Amino acid sequence: YATLDDLQPDLVNRLVQRAPGEVTDALRPFGYYAPTVTTELTGDPKRWFARIVVTPGEPVLLTDVDLQIDGPGRDEAFLRDLLAEERLQPGQQLNHGTYETLKGELQRRAAANGYLDARFTHAQLLVDPEERTAVVRLKLETGPRFRFGAVQVDQDTLDPRFVQRFLRFREGEWYSSAALLRTQFALDDTSYFGLVEVLPGDRDPETLTVPIRIVATPNRRNRYTIGVGYETDFGPRLRLGWENRRVNRRGHRFRAEANIAPDNFAGSGTYVVPIGDPSLEKVELS
């Protein structure tokens, strides 16, 4: 409201009266549960002055922190490392954000590494505002760990065996959302496909597996470029380019470029053969 010039006195008074409650709510996540807030309003409808004085008071301190991981994943390093960071310790000032962040990261990290049924059986933050104390109770039940199930790749553009070389996981390995993301990036970075979707299916509680379906829509095979410019040595210049993104089903590519000027012509051609990991390794014949 500070930028408005037509504020009525009753509205301004309501805003100022509301300020102590809003300030108190804003300080609570940082451990200040009993601030002292005073307000003063002066001026007139042409120019109001609102003064808010905040004394945070003594913060709430953690007196007891109980963090537990139970279930088959109780000894996993990627979970234990989070607890070892000691973000919540007795004697520390209460911070709701730290509590929520740790809680969220524990569950996200468990799920990202195959513990898809992980859940909190206890998740409590108990605050005694009068005593300025707080207690944290967190217990994560990991549940069983899942593996990758059958992998289905829906595309008819390239040899299926060639496409398999882009995958960053194999059937039977531990489920990993990072491996799915790396696979998405590997396929997206190629010029073979215009759209790629890596879709986990419904997990099977009997076999503890998650099937994966990959849908890849082919990109246009040919790409053409044209450009014009001027060089001090050769004058006006025309540049033409052509790329065949899929010479064959083994992923070979070919590109050619010509630079044409009145007294000069330069041309080049490159044939690309993917080898090994096709995202990283190739042979170019130029």
Side-chain angles (χ1 to χ4, degrees):
Y1 293 93
T3 60
L4 302 181
D5 55 7
D6 58 348
L7 292 175
Q8 297 302 312
D10 58 342
L11 174 59
V12 176
N13 276 296
R14 285 201 304 271
L15 293 174
V16 173
Q17 291 170 10
R18 200 168 65 189
E22 293 182 342
V23 170
T24 300
D25 290 341
L27 287 173
R28 195 166 290 152
F30 301 98
Y32 297 101
Y33 271 67
T36 301
V37 184
T38 60
T39 60
E40 180 185 4
L41 179 65
T42 58
D44 54 57
K46 292 184 179 180
R47 190 168 181 83
W48 293 106
F49 294 91
R51 178 177 174 82
I52 303 173
V53 180
V54 181
T55 304
E58 292 297 321
V60 171
L61 301 180
L62 295 173
T63 57
D64 188 19
V65 178
D66 184 14
L67 306 176
Q68 298 183 39
I69 299 175
D70 201 6
R74 66 175 66 88
D75 296 323
E76 296 286 6
F78 52 79
L79 295 177
R80 286 292 171 187
D81 288 347
L82 281 176
L83 302 188
E85 293 175 5
E86 299 184 347
R87 302 186 194 180
L88 298 173
Q89 289 294 309
Q92 290 179 346
Q93 182 172 329
L94 171 63
N95 187 303
H96 289 224
T98 303
Y99 166 78
E100 293 293 343
T101 298
L102 177 61
K103 180 182 170 185
E105 286 187 9
L106 277 170
Q107 191 155 24
R108 280 193 297 272
R109 192 171 289 190
N113 288 277
Y115 293 100
L116 303 178
D117 293 332
R119 63 185 182 88
F120 286 101
T121 55
H122 289 89
Q124 295 178 320
L125 174 57
L126 307 176
V127 180
D128 186 335
E130 293 185 0
E131 296 294 330
R132 309 284 198 276
T133 60
V135 174
V136 171
R137 298 276 187 270
L138 273 181
K139 184 176 182 180
L140 179 70
E141 171 60 51
T142 66
R145 193 176 188 183
F146 285 77
R147 296 179 181 270
F148 284 114
V151 182
Q152 176 184 341
V153 182
D154 294 339
Q155 64 85 36
D156 56 6
T157 304
L158 299 169
D159 187 319
R161 291 171 298 180
F162 174 67
V163 176
Q164 287 287 329
R165 287 155 57 187
F166 287 95
L167 305 189
R168 291 331 190 219
F169 62 91
R170 292 290 181 267
E171 182 177 348
E173 294 179 348
W174 292 121
Y175 180 90
S176 165
S177 59
L180 293 180
L181 194 59
R182 290 197 301 270
T183 298
Q184 177 86 51
F185 289 156
L187 291 169
D188 279 338
D189 287 344
T190 73
S191 57
Y192 304 127
F193 305 109
L195 177 66
V196 177
E197 294 180 287
V198 180
L199 308 169
D202 295 332
R203 53 183 180 266
D204 187 339
E206 298 287 336
T207 61
L208 296 179
T209 58
V210 182
I212 304 297
R213 183 182 179 215
I214 299 174
V215 181
T217 304
N219 205 351
R220 292 183 178 181
R221 171 169 289 184
N222 294 299
R223 177 175 179 266
Y224 303 96
T225 57
I226 184 171
V228 294
Y230 185 88
E231 291 185 1
T232 56
D233 291 339
F234 302 109
R237 179 168 59 90
L238 175 66
R239 180 169 57 84
L240 302 174
W242 166 54
E243 180 182 12
N244 185 335
R245 292 163 166 157
R246 299 188 308 275
V247 175
N248 53 40
R249 289 177 60 83
R250 298 188 301 278
H252 294 196
R253 297 194 296 270
F254 176 76
R255 61 178 180 269
E257 185 175 286
N259 289 281
I260 305 169
D263 298 317
N264 179 268
F265 173 84
S268 65
T270 303
Y271 193 88
V272 181
V273 180
I275 60 173
D277 182 344
S279 295
L280 305 173
E281 301 169 294
K282 62 186 177 182
V283 171
E284 289 192 358
L285 308 175
S286 301

